[in-house]
Amino acid sequence: MEWASQMTRCRRTVAVIVATMLAFALAGCAPVGRTNDFGGAVVPPAEFSTKTDIQTLDEALAHADDLVRLLGGEWLDAGVPPGVFDPTDRSGWSSGPCGAHNTNQYAIFLQQVAPVADPTAKIEQVREHWKGLGYRVRQIGPAETSKTMFTEIVVDLPFGAGLSFNASTTGMGITTEGECVIKQ
């Protein structure tokens, strides 16, 4: 009976993640990426990090965990397999190219699918937190243009790394991108 209960919980978690990602995709809300003005191609950073893949993964997980701790609640990740976010678990995360041949970059994508009474307050909470850490915060789109009050804020970090937080009346999302490294 315990196994059946775990499988049911796992199926629900996967269903919530899939439904959330679909909802964000339909709303035109995808994780932030480095794009240019010519068709959305990913633009590599001017310089690449000299850190190891593991170091950049650890930093991306730490950035995500920082916001999870700030905002509280249970966050679901898009790792393989998807599940409840655990910043100490390196398994299930894979890197992809970051706009140049023979490069790697980790992207951590987390969702909290629960109604948010005041998405603007959550955005401001994260904005103030990031400003307190010395980051320069950009905002993507005003909430007034969306029925769900969807708003996203972004921080650009060295070597193509970045932080993104979005909130709407239907949930919140965190994306952290690690530094871009040349494959070793």
Side-chain angles (χ1 to χ4, degrees):
M1 193 55 112
E2 177 64 30
W3 179 81
S5 174
Q6 288 177 340
M7 286 304 295
T8 300
R9 242 186 355 256
C10 182
R11 284 186 189 117
R12 284 185 194 144
T13 300
V14 170
V16 167
I17 289 172
V18 169
T20 301
M21 292 176 86
L22 180 60
F24 275 102
L26 292 174
C29 310
V32 69
R34 307 295 178 261
T35 60
N36 67 20
D37 296 329
F38 310 105
V42 176
V43 177
E47 296 180 7
F48 298 97
S49 176
T50 58
K51 295 177 182 169
T52 67
D53 278 348
I54 295 300
Q55 287 172 316
T56 63
L57 174 58
D58 286 344
E59 287 177 357
L61 289 168
H63 283 299
D65 188 47
D66 179 52
L67 285 189
V68 166
R69 290 175 185 269
L70 175 72
L71 297 164
E74 184 174 82
W75 288 80
L76 303 176
D77 70 42
V80 177
V84 176
F85 176 65
D86 176 359
T88 64
D89 185 1
R90 289 188 195 146
S91 64
W93 298 107
S94 60
S95 60
C98 45
H101 178 68
N102 209 31
T103 59
N104 278 337
Q105 180 178 45
Y106 283 95
I108 309 300
F109 181 61
L110 308 177
Q111 290 287 313
Q112 190 176 79
V113 185
V116 179
D118 188 356
T120 303
K122 293 294 185 184
I123 290 288
E124 292 310 313
Q125 180 183 9
V126 172
R127 183 191 317 270
E128 290 307 311
H129 177 69
W130 281 346
K131 282 183 175 180
L133 295 173
Y135 298 146
R136 188 170 150 236
V137 181
R138 296 185 291 124
Q139 182 162 327
I140 309 297
E144 304 84 51
T145 63
S146 167
K147 288 181 183 179
T148 62
M149 299 179 63
F150 180 88
T151 305
E152 181 177 24
I153 55 176
V154 176
V155 170
D156 297 312
L157 297 173
F159 305 111
L163 310 175
S164 170
F165 172 71
N166 64 64
S168 73
T169 57
T170 60
M172 297 181 287
I174 297 169
T175 302
T176 62
E177 295 171 317
E179 293 179 359
C180 186
V181 298
I182 295 180
K183 286 183 185 178
Q184 301 165 353

